[in-house]
Amino acid sequence: MATEDARYRLSSQYRLWSFSPSQLASMREKSNALARASISQRLSSPGYHPPAASSLSTSSLNLSAPTSSTNTPDPEAHPSGTPSGPPPLPEFLTPAEELVVVTFYTSELLRAADHAQFSDEIKATSAAFFRRFYVTNSIMTYPPQEMLIVALFFGCKAEGAFMRITDFIKTFGREHPEEILAGEFLLCQGIRFAFDVKHPFRALRGAMMELRRMGIPGEELDKVERRAKEILRFSPLITDAYFHYTPSQIMLAAMSLADRGMAEKLITHTFHHTTSKNTDGDGGDTPGNGGTNGGNTGNARGRNMEETIGAQIRDKVLGAIESCREMLAKEMPERREHWTNKQVFKAHVQPIRKKLNKCKDPDRWNLVELQRARREQALKRADSEEREDGGGGTGTIDDDGAVFGDVAPQRDPKRRKVVAKGLEDPFGGPL
Amino acid sequence: MPPKSSSFGAGARAGTSSSGGGLPALSSDDMCPVCKTIRYLNKDMEFLIHPDCYHSMCSNCVNRLFNDGPNQCPYAGCHKTLRRKGFRAPFFGDLSVEREVDIRRRVAAVFNQVEDDFETLLDYNNYLQMVEDLTFELVHGTDQKRQQAEAQLQAWEAEHKADIERNRRAGREADDLQRRRIAAERDAARQRRIEAIKEAEEEKRERVRSREAELDSMQTGEAGGGGGGGQRVQLKRRGQVNKNTADAAANMIQDKNAAAAAGADGLGVGRLSIRGLKEKKRPPPPEGPYDPFGGLDFIPSRYTLEPKGTLNHPALDHWRLDQGHITGGYSFDEYISRAMFDAFAGLGVFIEDEKELGGQTGLSAGQVATIGGGIGAVGDKMELDAS
């Protein structure tokens, strides 16, 4: 096995955030289903009333329902003939619709990053964070408009550009730093603390170096590199390429979109080993002496070479790159305008957004309120008060218990934590 | 092969007594049974025996009889062919004891299992019993039994040659260790003694010096204060010295304890408590030096960085002139190797295939989703803890 592959397999990108298409789809379905269950549970719970419809009489409402009216379902949206009981459940987004919204907001994120003039790495990292976050969290649970800014802010940090939060909010026209900071830890949890995202940008440089050494004229290469970079800046970020392919495959796919012959030349040059030919003869890419695991006999070494840079694996790599190329071709850089286009927005995104406004999670949508509620709850817990007065946060926890199958009402938070977290799972078991 | 038990010690004695005739009891120490020389005539007479038959004779006889090569034992009825080389001075006066010791030594060299080789104490005890029975038969048994025992012994030796050799080596190593430990202890003791002497001398010198200082200070006039100061200084120094000696003593005790513990360990090998003969454990293969990367190979297999300077990118040229990069010791080779690694790492990783297989590397989609769902929800609590 190639040493480079072995090293790549150790990265968190491979271990935690690489999935086959079917896996990714089933995960999205699952988080969609979870969100549906929890939101419908919350909307129909007796403690919840749309704040606009009922007066803010109890303290619990203050906590559970965000004060800003934009954060709650519009009561007018429900059929007027509803009885006074719990309002009927809104129509939820399907996983496919969610994906459209996520893609739309990803393009928004890239636009925002362009506006703030961030580097390619920051853009790409933020976009990857954003998309990863919404794999395991539904877009109905947390507000994408907010998470996008949070992802940008944290992407800056992850790439080593430490902006002041005050400068940052000025850039994006926000008023309070809390709006961004509230979601920061949430994002970190959502991306499972995998802060290192591997990008194909440097890989493109490396490939260009190799091609240059092969003696391909510089002007030609510059042209290919420019185009490939343009593609890399947009296409893989807005698609699921980062989940399904490794950076080098993405890079080669982008290169093949720019110049198919060039990419194939590099691949055939790299995987040049043939069983009949003496591989060392042409002094190609193989390291000269026993580079592969110290295979002593020529036979073992040959087999090793065959596995690493042989014709069979070459065909497989070509296949992977071809499928990646297809994926990228769906979102070429020229489609940047597609997502900002008013008509497209109205036709495809706006209806879903309207739907989203009705079915969003009442407890989680406002990140600042959510964090404040959690803080207060923590304080309450610290004072070891009776939790009968029932803040919104308390409601949240209990609802979670009911939603995620932990039905037994366990009032003791510590015991609850032990039961819920389980021992085998460092991230905590499902609630 | 030892001779018949009846034929050697008793025979020698019978020889002397018969040849001595009426002379007042001449012990075998005083007269050579072969040449009848008596000690009176030769003060330096030395008796030698041969471990084949244990017939003693004086060194002159040995030289005379065996200098020209192998010869028959001069004792009547003993037909052993002896060589000059095998003769030695007996350690014990009683030759039957000498013989038994020789036999025991030989048996012990063959049956050299130690307690640790056995699984239970009972097994080891049984083994010891067997060895003792065999030894007894070799020493005191009848002719036939002795031969039988001898045959057994040889068979065992031939069969377990490797084991015997290994045990012998282990025993020797343990002995070596013990010897070295003792030597080290002795060294340490000597060191301590030298230090103690040095300290005593130092103290004496110190006393003299402080006394001189005192006298000097008295001379210069400030008699009372100076004297007191000197006294104090001396007292203080003495206190220090006392403390030092206390420390040294403590160290010594510690050393001794450690040595004792080590000694106990050493003795533990030979202690009499055992288990049955264990399955031979193969010594684990040598692990080699510690590898912090867990066996990762950093030699690239798809590309080569050699020869240096062949890989370059025009975008780098600008940075090669950049003061901030050059003065910082930034290595462009490092960047190039990283870029090349990025370009080729994971080319052969086919996520779709590998993750579908699941198994060793990936979680299943369902698991991940549950975990993800868990995180979102667990977030409540974790954040609470943090705040």
Side-chain angles (χ1 to χ4, degrees), chain A residues 331-347:
Chain A
E331 294 282 352
M332 289 301 275
E334 287 72 29
R335 292 255 297 174
R336 217 181 267 266
E337 280 71 41
H338 168 83
W339 290 104
T340 50
N341 193 329
K342 279 257 164 57
Q343 263 124 36
V344 174
F345 179 73
K346 257 189 192 156

Side-chain angles (χ1 to χ4, degrees), chain A residues 220-393:
Chain A
E220 212 174 314
L221 286 178
D222 285 344
K223 215 174 73 197
V224 173
E225 183 175 10
R226 233 174 293 127
R227 175 65 180 155
K229 200 161 186 185
E230 205 180 329
I231 294 168
L232 288 181
R233 277 193 193 125
F234 183 77
S235 307
L237 302 179
I238 208 153
T239 56
D240 287 334
Y242 271 51
F243 292 117
H244 301 326
Y245 303 99
T246 62
S248 51
Q249 288 165 353
I250 296 172
M251 179 271 291
L252 281 170
M255 204 201 286
S256 98
L257 279 171
D259 184 342
R260 190 186 270 266
M262 194 78 83
E264 269 165 19
K265 210 181 283 179
L266 181 61
I267 292 166
T268 44
H269 175 72
T270 303
F271 298 96
H272 58 81
H273 181 81
T274 46
T275 35
S276 58
K277 199 174 69 175
N278 182 13
T279 48
D280 285 349
D282 57 358
D285 282 46
T286 43
N289 45 356
T292 46
N293 303 338
N296 288 336
T297 61
N299 207 353
R301 187 152 168 255
R303 211 175 320 123
N304 213 335
M305 301 258 280
E306 176 64 34
E307 275 170 23
T308 320
I309 50 173
Q312 202 178 350
I313 192 143
R314 180 188 66 207
D315 296 342
K316 224 172 155 193
V317 169
L318 279 173
I321 287 168
E322 196 54 36
S323 66
C324 180
R325 184 190 147 104
E326 272 164 34
M327 178 177 268
L328 297 188
K330 282 182 206 148
E331 294 282 352
M332 289 301 275
E334 287 72 29
R335 292 255 297 174
R336 217 181 267 266
E337 280 71 41
H338 168 83
W339 290 104
T340 50
N341 193 329
K342 279 257 164 57
Q343 263 124 36
V344 174
F345 179 73
K346 257 189 192 156
H348 296 296
V349 184
Q350 195 63 5
I352 304 175
R353 277 227 305 198
K354 272 199 183 133
K355 237 167 113 185
L356 178 60
N357 266 344
K358 284 169 204 157
C359 65
K360 59 201 172 189
D361 193 322
D363 284 339
R364 304 266 170 89
W365 197 257
N366 189 326
L367 296 177
V368 179
E369 283 297 320
L370 179 66
Q371 204 194 23
R372 200 168 65 80
R374 283 173 182 166
R375 287 241 168 93
E376 262 169 37
Q377 196 190 349
L379 279 179
K380 260 185 229 162
R381 256 184 223 178
D383 298 344
S384 69
E385 274 181 14
E386 276 295 293
R387 303 194 302 151
E388 288 171 350
D389 50 345

Side-chain angles (χ1 to χ4, degrees), chain A residues 9-58:
Chain A
R9 283 199 182 88
L10 296 176
S11 65
S12 63
Q13 181 155 330
Y14 176 79
R15 284 182 297 122
L16 302 177
W17 289 109
S18 291
F19 313 107
S20 72
S22 61
Q23 279 173 330
L24 191 64
S26 81
M27 281 168 70
R28 284 190 169 134
E29 262 161 40
K30 185 142 188 179
S31 46
N32 180 272
L34 284 173
R36 270 167 198 250
S38 69
I39 292 168
S40 56
Q41 215 273 342
R42 250 167 256 174
L43 285 178
S44 56
S45 72
Y48 173 78
H49 303 283
S54 65
S55 65
L56 304 173
S57 54
T58 58

Side-chain angles (χ1 to χ4, degrees), chain A residues 189-211:
Chain A
Q189 287 176 312
I191 60 177
R192 301 171 75 193
F193 302 94
F195 298 149
D196 184 28
V197 185
K198 309 250 181 243
H199 296 303
F201 301 117
R202 202 184 302 109
L204 183 63
R205 279 267 170 91
M208 287 300 144
M209 288 178 196
E210 183 68 39
L211 285 168

Side-chain angles (χ1 to χ4, degrees), chain B residues 167-300:
Chain B
N167 282 343
R168 201 165 56 84
R169 219 175 298 129
R172 213 162 40 201
E173 268 161 27
D175 283 356
D176 272 1
L177 215 66
Q178 184 113 5
R179 216 169 301 133
R180 244 172 291 155
R181 198 162 39 229
I182 289 167
E185 253 168 68
R186 210 172 290 146
D187 259 14
R190 206 181 46 228
Q191 208 64 33
R192 278 198 296 276
R193 231 173 300 130
I194 290 168
E195 263 166 32
I197 290 166
K198 259 191 207 157
E199 235 162 59
E201 275 174 6
E202 185 69 19
E203 201 181 345
K204 210 185 282 172
R205 258 204 304 277
E206 201 59 36
R207 216 180 295 134
V208 171
R209 214 178 301 149
S210 71
R211 197 176 151 70
E212 273 170 10
E214 202 179 328
L215 285 176
D216 282 354
S217 72
M218 278 164 96
Q219 221 168 19
T220 47
E222 54 227 52
Q231 196 77 32
R232 254 201 312 280
V233 167
Q234 199 180 359
L235 283 175
K236 196 174 154 199
R237 289 214 171 116
R238 201 172 280 164
Q240 235 166 22
V241 169
N242 282 346
K243 212 174 87 194
N244 287 348
T245 47
D247 282 356
N251 281 346
M252 222 151 75
I253 288 166
Q254 254 176 5
D255 285 356
K256 222 178 266 172
N257 284 347
D265 284 352
L267 286 178
V269 177
R271 211 176 24 183
L272 279 177
S273 73
I274 307 138
R275 279 146 287 164
L277 202 50
K278 278 178 199 156
E279 278 301 302
K280 294 269 156 50
K281 266 179 284 169
R282 233 162 246 294
E287 285 180 354
Y290 170 69
D291 181 6
F293 299 110
L296 266 192
D297 189 358
F298 285 91
I299 300 165

Side-chain angles (χ1 to χ4, degrees), chain A residues 2-5 7 9-10 14-15 18-23 26-27 30 136 142 189 192 202-203 205-210 212-213 225 243-246 248-249 251-252 270-271 284-285 287 291 293 308-309 316-317 320 364 371 374-375 377-378 381 396-397 400 417 420 425 429-431, chain B residues 296-307 310-316 319 335-336 338-356 358 361-387:
Chain A
T3 59
E4 296 94 323
D5 292 351
R7 278 166 73 186
R9 283 199 182 88
L10 296 176
Y14 176 79
R15 284 182 297 122
S18 291
F19 313 107
S20 72
S22 61
Q23 279 173 330
S26 81
M27 281 168 70
K30 185 142 188 179
T136 48
Y142 297 106
Q189 287 176 312
R192 301 171 75 193
R202 202 184 302 109
R205 279 267 170 91
M208 287 300 144
M209 288 178 196
E210 183 68 39
R212 213 166 287 266
R213 178 157 71 177
E225 183 175 10
F243 292 117
H244 301 326
Y245 303 99
T246 62
S248 51
Q249 288 165 353
M251 179 271 291
L252 281 170
T270 303
F271 298 96
D285 282 46
N293 303 338
T308 320
I309 50 173
K316 224 172 155 193
V317 169
R364 304 266 170 89
Q371 204 194 23
R374 283 173 182 166
R375 287 241 168 93
Q377 196 190 349
R381 256 184 223 178
T396 310
I397 293 283
D400 281 347
K417 188 174 282 179
D425 186 0
L431 274 175
Chain B
L296 266 192
D297 189 358
F298 285 91
I299 300 165
S301 57
R302 296 213 176 97
Y303 59 95
T304 173
L305 297 170
E306 301 296 329
T310 50
L311 287 167
N312 198 12
H313 194 277
L316 287 183
W319 297 109
Y335 176 82
I336 287 167
R338 201 171 163 199
M340 290 299 284
F341 173 76
D342 272 11
F344 292 99
L347 260 187
V349 176
F350 304 105
I351 288 169
E352 189 168 351
D353 301 352
E354 290 178 21
K355 291 284 174 176
E356 282 290 323
T361 43
L363 298 155
S364 77
Q367 266 175 313
V368 174
T370 350
I371 287 168
I375 298 162
V378 168
D380 302 7
K381 275 187 288 165
M382 290 173 82
E383 200 160 29
L384 285 180
D385 292 344
S387 55

